[in-house]
Amino acid sequence: NLTTPGRENLKAVGNANFGYFAGGQDSPATYRSDVDRIDYSSDTSTALDKGPLTGNRAEHSATGNQNFGYFAGGLPGVGSKIERIDYSDDTVTALSKGFISTPSRIRLAATGNANFGYIGGGDPGLSIVDRIDYSNDTATASPKGPLSAGKSYLSATGNQNFGYWMGGSPNASTIDRLDYSN
C-alpha cells in the first residue's frame, strides 16, 4: 500500500533493491510531492514514506540507474524541471537538477541505462527525446534523435543499448527504438 491512498498519474523508478513511487494526484486539483519506497525483500508490507520531491508534480516521467532516480516534466508548472533522489539517502528532499530542453512538457515517458536517461514525447504533440547525462546532471538535457511522430500518454522501456517508446496518443501503435550508441 502507498502511504497516500488514491493517487494517480504518479511515476516509479528503482534499482535492484527498492522501488520508488513519486508525485501524482489524489483529485483533479490536488497534486502531490510524496515519495514512497517499497523494499523488494519485504514486498508484503506498506510502502515507507521517504523524502519528498521539491514540489508537487503529476503526469511526469521517471528514469534512473542503481544510485539515483530522476523525475522530469509534469504538472503543475514544473514542465521542464528535473529532480533527483539519492537512493543512499532517501529521507531527504529530492534535489533540483537541470532542465529538459522544452518547457511545459507533460504526459511523457523515460527510460535509460547506467549512464544516461532518455525522456521522450509529451504534450503538446512532441517527438523530442532529451538525454540526461548522469555524470553532469545539472546541465540542461540535450536533445537527441526524435521519435517517429509527436506522442503523449506513451510508455517507455529499454536496456543497456536501446530505448523503446510505444503507444501513446493520438492512437499510436508504433514502437520507436533509440540506439544509445548513435
Side-chain angles (χ1 to χ4, degrees):
N1 296 327
L2 292 173
T3 58
T4 306
R7 280 167 41 204
E8 59 185 38
N9 293 321
L10 62 161
K11 295 300 178 195
V13 67
N15 62 15
N17 301 307
F18 303 104
Y20 294 84
F21 299 86
Q25 59 195 101
D26 53 16
S27 73
T30 306
Y31 297 97
R32 309 292 303 197
S33 63
D34 304 90
V35 175
D36 293 315
R37 185 188 80 188
I38 58 170
D39 183 337
Y40 298 148
S41 68
S42 174
D43 62 6
T44 57
S45 60
T46 299
L48 297 175
D49 188 25
K50 293 298 175 180
L53 299 175
T54 60
N56 300 332
R57 82 171 54 205
E59 299 191 35
H60 50 297
S61 65
T63 189
N65 60 17
Q66 281 298 108
N67 302 307
F68 304 105
Y70 294 84
F71 300 90
L75 293 169
V78 294
S80 63
K81 183 178 174 183
I82 299 171
E83 296 182 69
R84 184 186 81 188
I85 58 173
D86 183 338
Y87 301 149
S88 68
D89 189 9
D90 60 13
T91 59
V92 300
T93 301
L95 295 175
S96 290
K97 291 297 178 178
F99 296 88
I100 51 179
S101 66
T102 306
S104 303
R105 268 169 83 186
I106 60 173
R107 303 177 187 115
L108 53 169
T111 187
N113 60 19
N115 302 307
F116 303 102
Y118 295 86
I119 301 159
D123 267 348
L126 299 172
S127 63
I128 297 167
V129 175
D130 285 333
R131 184 183 79 182
I132 302 169
D133 182 341
Y134 299 149
S135 68
N136 183 20
D137 59 12
T138 57
T140 298
S142 31
K144 297 298 172 186
L147 300 175
S148 62
K151 301 176 186 181
S152 59
Y153 295 105
L154 64 167
S155 292
T157 191
N159 62 19
Q160 265 313 103
N161 302 306
F162 303 102
Y164 297 86
W165 283 264
M166 57 219 67
S169 176
N171 299 320
S173 60
T174 57
I175 298 174
D176 292 329
R177 184 185 82 176
L178 177 69
D179 182 341
Y180 299 152
S181 68
N182 184 14

